[in-house]
Amino acid sequence: DPDSSDINYLIGVAYDGESQSEISIGYLKKVKDDSRFFENAVVHITAVYQEEGEIDQAEAYLASVLERHPDNVEFLLYMGSLYEEREQFERAEKTLLKGLSIDPNHVRLRFRLGVVYDKWQRKEDSIREMKKVIELAPDNASALNYLGYTYADMGIHLEEAEALIKEALKYKPDDGYITDSLGWVYFKMGRYEEALTHLRRAAELTPDDPIIMEHVGDAYAKLNDAENAVKYYRISLEKGNTDPDAVKGKIEALQAESQ
């Protein structure tokens, strides 16, 4: 039955599991619009293109699907994410807002819009959207953590930030990023010993994240342990810190102080 959407979908997913993305996409594109698997197939195709770094193809494909299904909020969500990835924040905002005009209580659309605003340096708008996500889904650990970390990074509402992040940890107790957020709150509070305990735990849970490694270095630096601070700053650089000059500056400053 070569025209069966169900069979083509399952074969496409299987080939993706075997990392044969081109063959996978070929089968997934045979899934018809009226199939129960159509939405999943579209999302899967878009994700495969993204994983392969073929963002142009992902955008062109999703645009063609949206021409036929302009009010599908899942497709709008993924298109907004593609624009976000390309740092086309105005287009991302427009697309996500269209989705929210169709479904104002769509939690993932609101969360994504909050992330777009954050990357766009529109912090207050980001905070507003994360608060709305938490109103809609009080157990959304990602939003609780995002809002708490935003407050911590801005150095504001630190007690509220601590409460938000502790609430997030109830749902994801072994999440390295949330553990890092709690450590960063304590760092901003000047409670450096507590900060280091949580930041080191975060580094154990998520050993490949350069920002977490930098945070550990920052805590050691505040505790006047230059040797360990430099060690973690160097690990941060090895892991691909996106602001290497700033980290190198911290290393140089510590080395200058020790001379």
Side-chain angles (χ1 to χ4, degrees), residues 139-159:
D139 60 349
N140 190 302
S142 296
L144 290 163
N145 177 60
Y146 208 104
L147 182 56
Y149 184 82
T150 298
Y151 283 154
D153 214 38
M154 295 173 70
I156 62 174
H157 310 312
L158 295 179
E159 290 185 2

Side-chain angles (χ1 to χ4, degrees), residues 56-205:
D56 287 339
Q57 290 90 326
E59 184 179 327
Y61 167 71
L62 201 50
S64 69
V65 173
L66 278 166
E67 286 179 5
R68 306 195 305 273
H69 304 275
D71 294 332
N72 185 295
V73 293
E74 290 298 316
F75 301 161
L76 290 166
L77 171 62
Y78 273 85
M79 183 61 91
S81 298
L82 290 175
Y83 290 143
E84 174 196 331
E85 188 172 341
R86 308 188 90 155
E87 298 186 350
Q88 297 176 358
F89 299 130
E90 288 187 22
R91 298 179 76 184
E93 178 191 34
K94 181 179 178 181
T95 302
L96 295 170
L97 285 174
K98 180 179 178 181
L100 286 169
S101 72
I102 298 165
D103 184 358
N105 295 328
H106 196 288
V107 170
R108 286 182 296 134
L109 276 169
R110 286 225 173 263
F111 182 84
R112 202 77 253 145
L113 182 60
V115 173
V116 167
Y117 284 142
D118 184 31
K119 292 181 177 180
W120 203 356
Q121 301 304 313
R122 292 171 57 177
K123 294 290 184 181
E124 293 303 320
D125 290 327
S126 176
I127 288 169
R128 182 193 67 236
E129 292 304 323
M130 291 302 165
K131 285 182 176 179
K132 288 180 181 177
V133 173
I134 294 168
E135 287 175 13
L136 292 167
D139 60 349
N140 190 302
S142 296
L144 290 163
N145 177 60
Y146 208 104
L147 182 56
Y149 184 82
T150 298
Y151 283 154
D153 214 38
M154 295 173 70
I156 62 174
H157 310 312
L158 295 179
E159 290 185 2
E160 184 180 351
E162 180 186 9
L164 288 163
I165 294 164
K166 283 184 173 180
E167 184 68 15
L169 282 169
K170 289 181 183 179
Y171 305 109
K172 293 185 176 181
D174 295 320
D175 187 289
Y177 296 105
I178 301 176
T179 304
D180 170 71
S181 296
L182 185 59
W184 200 235
V185 169
Y186 291 139
F187 181 90
K188 290 288 189 170
M189 288 178 168
R191 294 156 60 177
Y192 301 121
E193 290 283 0
E194 287 178 84
L196 181 60
T197 298
H198 292 285
L199 293 171
R200 284 199 54 161
R201 172 63 176 156
E204 292 172 0
L205 291 167

Side-chain angles (χ1 to χ4, degrees), residues 1-15 24 27-41:
D1 188 2
D3 296 323
S4 169
S5 290
D6 290 14
I7 294 173
N8 279 304
Y9 175 74
L10 294 171
I11 294 173
V13 172
Y15 272 116
S24 170
Y27 278 101
L28 291 170
K29 284 185 176 180
K30 294 179 181 179
V31 177
K32 299 180 180 67
D33 289 30
D34 60 356
S35 167
R36 57 178 173 156
F37 290 120
F38 176 67
E39 189 172 283
N40 287 346

Side-chain angles (χ1 to χ4, degrees), residues 223-235:
L223 292 167
N224 299 312
D225 187 341
E227 182 179 350
N228 275 312
V230 169
K231 171 186 171 182
Y232 277 91
Y233 287 148
R234 285 177 174 158
I235 294 172

Side-chain angles (χ1 to χ4, degrees), residues 219-257:
Y220 273 122
K222 287 292 186 181
L223 292 167
N224 299 312
D225 187 341
E227 182 179 350
N228 275 312
V230 169
K231 171 186 171 182
Y232 277 91
Y233 287 148
R234 285 177 174 158
I235 294 172
S236 176
L237 290 171
E238 290 170 5
K239 300 296 182 182
N241 193 295
T242 56
D243 191 359
D245 290 340
V247 178
K248 289 174 183 176
K250 292 178 181 181
I251 294 172
E252 291 169 3
L254 286 171
Q255 290 174 334
E257 288 175 9

